[in-house]
Amino acid sequence: MFNVNIQNKTLKLDERTPILSVIDDPAKTYYVAKVNNRLRELTYELCYDSNVELLDLTNTDAVKVYETSFRYLIAHAFHNLYPDYQIKICYAISRSLMVTVLSPKTQIDKAMLKAVKKEMDRLVSQDLPFEKMMMTKEEAYDYFVSQGQTDKAETLRYRPEKTCHFYKCADYLNYMHGYMVPSTGYLSKYNLFCYDGNMIAQYPRYEAKGEIPPFNDEPTFAKVLNRAHKWAKLCNAEIISDMNAHVNADTYVDFINMNETLHNDMLHELGGLIANDIENIRLICIAGPSSSGKTTFSNRLRIELMSRGINPLRISLDMYYKNRDEIPLDEDGAPDFEHINSLDVQLFNEHIQALIEGEEVELPNYEFEKGRSEHGTKIRIGADTPIIIEGIHALNDQLSYAIPKHQKFKIYIAPQFQINIDYHNPISYTDIRLLRRIVRDRKYRGASAERTLEMWPSVRRGEFKWIYPYQEGCNYVYNSALTYELCVLKKYALPALQEVSQDSPYYVTASRLIRFLKYFNEMDEKWVPCNSLLREFIGGSCFAEVDE
């Protein structure tokens, strides 16, 4: 006999019992559970003393399970209706999924959308179970080759384990990288609509408290993602197995330099845009979410502009923090250094305006240990010197209210990947940034992966509040993704994540990232250029190491 603590009660059980059998949830509000701090599907059979925490869609892990299952549902519907079509599912604008038919000259129109939605609704209404199955890697490879799904077959070859778990629903079988809900009946919340010959699929998000957020058309970002998709095809790295094929002595140096050249090309393009309007541009504003590579990017942009005869001045927004006792408090009563009111906005505007008008200004020097500003450097600039500012609020016009909009050039930077594990399993942009930050924090701040994972939810809340609302109004989006970077980051991130103990509240996230990283072949970083954006995280940068 064993005890199970669940939903504020203790059950005494004497045989293996699925979690579903012991919970009261007729409305299907729980999607996955933590059992003794391990993420478990609701079909998991309890057979030992357990503390069970049920997770709903306000939890990020539950939303990941919903999304994985939702992608299965989409693929299932297409399989039933259009068995000869292969689809690719990627992350898209406005925190949604984009479904593309890979068959040449085939686009998703209203008729196809209507048929797919009708089939998905049918599958949901039947509440069909997802049955977990197991195959050896060899059996799985043969199966997917027979189905014409070579993307899955080739990727599974890089799975270190000898077996694979699959899910069967009715007569449809698929491999999904992640946990699943018990049945199709859990997947009733979604929106579908046509978008540029593809299908946008929306699903509930934890940051929207388990609801589907409004769709915001983001044409600037749509173009960036389209460009990233074309690049992945061009360098033959749409899925992990294709990218891993580059990790050999004959091709990986070329592969690294191809990707670095893309960054150089974007910098050249960006430099041209600024140079063409330099008579008007006085303030170059750079912002992006954590670990996007803002520090290296701003240095490389400065050099790009210098090569065009433009000599910008870089100013850090960190100089303008208020004294510690003036910093607003967050919901937990702690100083909220990410709030715009933590900066002396008035002083910042006075200084920028004075510099633009040719006056001398004494920039503040904020001493973080003391929590106050002290006297800094006196500076004056010429009429042809633009000012580069970089920070969380750089795109927010509240920060630079005194500067006319036509004098501001706004740049948003973030890694925007269009690489998949396989065609049904996309790679999260957010996970890439998190892995970058884990590596950087460990190397430069002496912080464990657990400490970075502990801070990450707060970082994400700040991004949703202070960065994402201002991203679409920018003049340029710089895609800081390097297609090869996960093959390099693995060497540093994997041991850091493996240090997270099983009793840690962040063990679930660490385990998920470990499983993901194991798919990648390691790449020697010795050929990564010293000015590469990746050097900001792994070390060896030719620029001064400055925290984001």
Side-chain angles (χ1 to χ4, degrees):
M1 181 170 289
F2 54 94
N3 297 325
V4 173
N5 297 315
I6 187 170
Q7 290 184 309
N8 298 317
K9 58 186 177 183
T10 300
L11 306 177
K12 295 185 179 297
L13 305 175
D14 55 11
E15 60 182 5
R16 301 177 72 94
T17 306
I19 297 173
L20 268 178
S21 300
V22 296
I23 65 175
D24 180 21
D25 186 30
K28 293 183 169 61
T29 56
Y30 300 116
Y31 295 83
V32 69
K34 280 186 182 179
V35 179
N36 294 351
N37 208 33
R38 297 286 298 273
L39 200 65
R40 301 296 189 187
E41 295 172 328
L42 295 182
T43 53
Y44 179 77
E45 293 184 339
L46 302 167
C47 59
Y48 48 85
D49 289 348
S50 306
N51 291 311
V52 181
E53 179 186 357
L54 301 174
L55 305 180
D56 62 19
L57 292 177
T58 62
N59 177 275
T60 181
D61 292 311
V63 168
K64 288 182 185 296
V65 171
Y66 190 102
E67 183 219 312
T68 302
S69 310
F70 181 46
R71 285 188 273 109
Y72 185 110
L73 180 68
I74 294 170
H76 191 173
F78 269 92
H79 169 80
N80 289 351
L81 295 172
Y82 310 103
D84 295 331
Y85 287 172
Q86 192 167 38
I87 63 169
K88 183 178 181 181
I89 306 176
C90 294
Y91 292 115
I93 58 175
S94 195
R95 293 170 277 165
S96 63
L97 297 170
M98 180 172 287
V99 183
T100 303
V101 176
L102 297 178
S103 302
K105 298 182 180 179
T106 301
Q107 294 190 329
I108 297 177
D109 56 18
K110 290 182 179 179
M112 182 182 288
L113 177 78
K114 183 177 179 180
V116 170
K117 186 177 188 311
K118 183 178 179 181
E119 179 63 8
M120 289 173 64
D121 287 344
R122 184 186 72 83
L123 293 171
V124 170
S125 67
Q126 292 188 354
D127 198 18
L128 302 170
F130 292 116
E131 301 175 57
K132 200 170 190 175
M133 304 175 63
M134 184 181 291
M135 292 186 194
T136 65
K137 283 204 304 185
E138 292 75 16
E139 290 171 337
Y141 182 88
D142 292 341
Y143 173 77
F144 281 118
V145 168
S146 72
Q147 298 296 307
Q149 294 178 291
T150 54
D151 59 308
K152 290 184 181 291
E154 291 300 321
T155 293
L156 286 172
R157 291 174 61 185
Y158 293 97
R159 181 180 170 88
E161 292 80 10
K162 295 181 179 180
T163 58
C164 309
H165 285 106
F166 294 79
Y167 293 89
K168 184 178 181 182
C169 183
D171 60 350
Y172 178 67
L173 186 70
N174 201 349
Y175 169 78
M176 304 303 290
H177 182 75
Y179 295 111
M180 297 275 285
V181 296
S183 62
T184 58
Y186 284 75
L187 303 172
S188 60
K189 296 181 178 181
Y190 64 86
N191 291 333
L192 305 177
F193 56 92
C194 294
Y195 188 93
D196 194 24
N198 303 302
M199 183 176 83
I200 290 288
Q202 292 183 284
Y203 57 96
R205 301 285 305 195
Y206 78 92
E207 66 273 8
K209 298 181 179 180
E211 298 300 322
I212 299 173
F215 180 79
N216 296 316
D217 194 6
E218 298 165 344
T220 303
F221 275 84
K223 291 176 183 176
V224 171
L225 291 176
N226 186 49
R227 185 176 181 177
H229 175 69
K230 289 180 179 179
W231 174 254
K233 291 184 69 174
L234 179 68
C235 64
N236 192 27
E238 284 190 274
I239 56 176
I240 284 179
S241 59
D242 290 340
M243 188 168 61
N244 280 343
H246 290 289
V247 188
N248 64 70
D250 295 328
T251 63
Y252 83 92
V253 173
D254 290 345
F255 189 53
I256 287 173
N257 282 287
M258 279 177 64
N259 283 274
E260 295 294 340
T261 298
L262 178 64
H263 275 197
N264 292 338
D265 289 347
M266 286 191 289
L267 279 163
H268 181 75
E269 179 182 56
L270 178 54
L273 292 172
I274 293 172
N276 288 339
D277 195 30
I278 195 60
E279 291 182 358
N280 291 312
I281 297 171
R282 302 312 311 273
L283 195 61
I284 299 171
C285 312
I286 302 170
S290 175
S291 302
S292 292
K294 297 184 289 292
T295 300
T296 300
F297 168 74
S298 58
N299 273 302
R300 290 184 63 174
L301 177 61
R302 176 178 55 84
I303 292 169
E304 170 65 31
L305 295 176
M306 288 169 62
S307 74
R308 297 172 181 270
I310 302 168
N311 294 288
L313 169 70
R314 283 184 66 205
I315 291 181
S316 172
L317 292 178
D318 288 352
M319 298 177 180
Y320 288 91
Y321 273 116
K322 294 177 179 177
N323 292 338
R324 188 170 296 154
D325 58 359
E326 299 177 83
I327 300 293
L329 303 180
D330 63 18
E331 57 191 22
D332 298 321
D336 186 358
F337 287 96
E338 293 188 337
H339 199 288
I340 192 170
N341 290 337
S342 67
L343 299 174
D344 192 335
V345 175
Q346 181 177 344
L347 180 64
F348 172 78
N349 279 271
E350 289 173 359
H351 281 184
I352 296 297
Q353 201 167 31
L355 286 168
I356 289 174
E357 293 171 359
E359 299 176 15
E360 184 179 81
V361 164
E362 181 179 342
L363 299 177
N365 178 31
Y366 192 83
E367 294 287 347
F368 281 90
E369 291 184 4
K370 298 178 181 178
R372 66 172 184 265
S373 284
E374 298 188 346
H375 292 293
T377 306
K378 291 184 178 181
I379 195 165
R380 185 195 304 269
I381 61 175
D384 58 349
T385 300
I387 301 167
I388 294 177
I389 61 168
E390 171 250 307
I392 186 172
H393 300 290
L395 302 184
N396 186 348
D397 284 325
Q398 293 180 53
L399 174 72
S400 53
Y401 63 82
I403 312 304
K405 289 186 177 182
H406 75 276
Q407 292 186 337
K408 291 184 276 193
F409 190 96
K410 297 181 179 181
I411 303 168
Y412 180 85
I413 175 174
Q416 308 286 338
F417 278 80
Q418 285 291 281
I419 306 171
N420 281 32
I421 295 173
D422 58 52
Y423 286 143
H424 298 161
N425 290 279
I427 293 175
S428 164
Y429 317 145
T430 303
D431 282 349
I432 305 300
R433 293 192 295 106
L434 176 55
L435 289 167
R436 285 179 174 185
R437 180 150 180 166
I438 286 170
V439 171
R440 185 199 65 187
D441 285 0
R442 193 182 198 216
K443 185 172 185 66
Y444 295 114
R445 300 178 180 179
S448 65
E450 183 170 14
R451 174 59 179 153
T452 300
L453 292 170
E454 179 186 12
M455 294 186 298
W456 193 243
S458 175
V459 171
R460 292 286 286 153
R461 285 194 297 272
E463 291 169 355
F464 281 109
K465 187 173 183 179
W466 298 114
I467 297 179
Y468 298 143
Y470 307 100
Q471 62 186 15
E472 185 58 27
C474 60
N475 299 94
Y476 193 90
V477 176
Y478 187 88
N479 184 354
S480 67
L482 287 161
T483 307
Y484 70 85
E485 69 178 84
L486 286 164
C487 296
V488 175
L489 288 171
K490 176 181 178 180
K491 170 184 173 181
Y492 299 94
L494 197 57
L497 290 163
Q498 288 170 336
E499 292 174 358
V500 179
S501 64
Q502 187 171 334
D503 60 356
S504 166
Y506 310 102
Y507 180 76
V508 167
T509 302
S511 297
R512 178 176 59 80
L513 293 173
I514 288 170
R515 291 195 301 272
F516 166 63
L517 281 172
K518 285 182 177 179
Y519 279 96
F520 293 88
N521 285 345
E522 280 191 25
M523 183 181 285
D524 192 336
E525 78 268 24
K526 69 179 180 180
W527 298 115
V528 177
C530 67
N531 70 340
S532 172
L533 186 142
L534 187 57
R535 288 289 180 189
E536 184 171 319
F537 306 97
I538 64 173
S541 175
C542 61
F543 302 113
E545 305 290 0
V546 180
D547 291 344
E548 277 192 301

